[in-house]
Amino acid sequence: MSIQRLTIIGVGLIGGSLARALKAADYCVEVVGCGRNVDSLRRGVELGVIDRFETDIPSAVSGADMVVLAAPVGSLEALFAQVVPHLDEGAVLTDVGSTKGSVVAAAQAACGQVPNRFVPGHPIAGSERSGVEAADASLYRNRRVILTPLVHTAADAIDKVEAMWAAAGAVVESMGVEHHDQVLAATSHLPHLLAYALVDALAELDDKAEVFRYAAGGFRDFTRIASSDPRMWHDICLHNREALLGVLKHFAHHLDALAAAVERGDGATVLETFARAKRARDGFCEQLGEGPQSTE
């Protein structure tokens, strides 16, 4: 199973990396890029990420047997309305959005019903870098991709999307739409929100220059994701706000309890919190086959 013509709408880090991976695997004959930034699309051709480009969506999707929406989740309703009417019969449509409930709702709003050849997807991979220059053929190697097909999604469409991601080196799993959004709110969306908030708060301090000058590895590791695309994460947070608010309130409750323990000098509670967290993270690392790491 391979792809004759792959159209990627939004040739940045995520879409570009998929294109590079599939080209490296010799899995598709032609990759067509589509977007509004002509300079970026031209650069994609120069770098060999895509074979050619179109700025007109109907022209871009015509003749494609696989179309990937790699644009911000806030733009997908408009894209569904433009893309779906021009898909060839039998073409498969998928996306890479970090939220799935909002994407399914966008497809419903734009098309009246979610197309049965649309397979919602989310690669659990990324980088603080962005743009077509950041495209990396190895980005998805041994990384998870979650598909959230609906009950009426065509089985052969699911198979084709699974095979595409497997060819890119990913490990493909499936789960329900709501469950996906709850899990990713806790494991991805909340950490990004916290990283942005921490850097923003410290940047307001009077001695911020020294704060950042003497920041050690732990600070750099934790805040690395605050260098991610702000517009993309703005969209993600707002489009998964219910699940994100739930886990944020849970975290705030624990943070308040820890702050109160520090305030009253309750070393036992502080130590037990830290020890419990270490056990949980060490166990997580063991499951992944990674050794636990610590840093100052």
Side-chain angles (χ1 to χ4, degrees), residues 2-11 14-35 41 48-54 57 59-70 83 87-88 91-96 140 160-161 163-165 167-168:
S2 62
I3 298 170
Q4 294 301 303
R5 179 178 295 166
L6 169 69
T7 294
I8 298 178
I9 301 179
V11 189
I14 300 300
S17 294
L18 176 60
R20 278 202 183 280
L22 296 178
K23 287 167 74 71
D26 198 24
Y27 193 76
C28 53
V29 175
E30 182 184 36
V31 180
V32 179
C34 182
L41 291 169
V49 176
I50 55 177
D51 297 309
R52 64 180 178 88
F53 69 86
E54 301 280 353
I57 287 178
S59 299
V61 303
S62 177
D65 47 328
M66 177 72 71
V67 176
V68 178
L69 303 180
V83 168
L87 292 173
D88 283 13
V92 176
L93 178 65
T94 188
D95 79 304
V96 298
Y140 304 114
K160 289 177 180 178
V161 175
M164 177 185 73
W165 283 113

Side-chain angles (χ1 to χ4, degrees), residues 153-276:
T153 305
D156 71 302
I158 299 172
D159 291 342
K160 289 177 180 178
V161 175
E162 287 181 346
M164 177 185 73
W165 283 113
V171 178
V172 184
E173 300 181 1
S174 295
M175 65 173 61
V177 170
E178 183 177 355
H179 184 51
H180 167 278
D181 286 357
Q182 291 171 344
V183 170
L184 270 294
T187 59
S188 177
H189 307 166
L190 177 63
H192 278 81
L193 184 149
L194 295 178
Y196 283 122
L198 175 60
V199 175
D200 188 51
L202 296 183
E204 293 182 352
L205 296 176
D206 292 338
D207 55 353
K208 63 182 179 183
E210 286 192 330
V211 168
F212 292 119
R213 181 181 302 126
Y214 296 112
F219 178 83
R220 289 193 298 272
D221 290 345
F222 179 73
T223 61
R224 174 186 58 80
I225 53 178
S227 291
S228 301
D229 182 352
R231 172 57 60 179
M232 180 182 76
W233 283 99
H234 156 275
D235 282 2
I236 291 169
C237 286
L238 292 185
H239 282 83
N240 198 28
R241 58 184 176 273
E242 289 187 10
L244 177 56
L245 281 173
V247 72
L248 180 59
K249 290 176 181 177
H250 178 73
F251 172 78
H253 172 74
H254 279 257
L255 184 61
D256 287 343
L258 183 58
V262 172
E263 183 176 19
R264 65 178 180 265
D266 183 355
T269 296
V270 173
L271 179 58
E272 176 52 31
T273 301
F274 290 177
R276 189 167 58 242

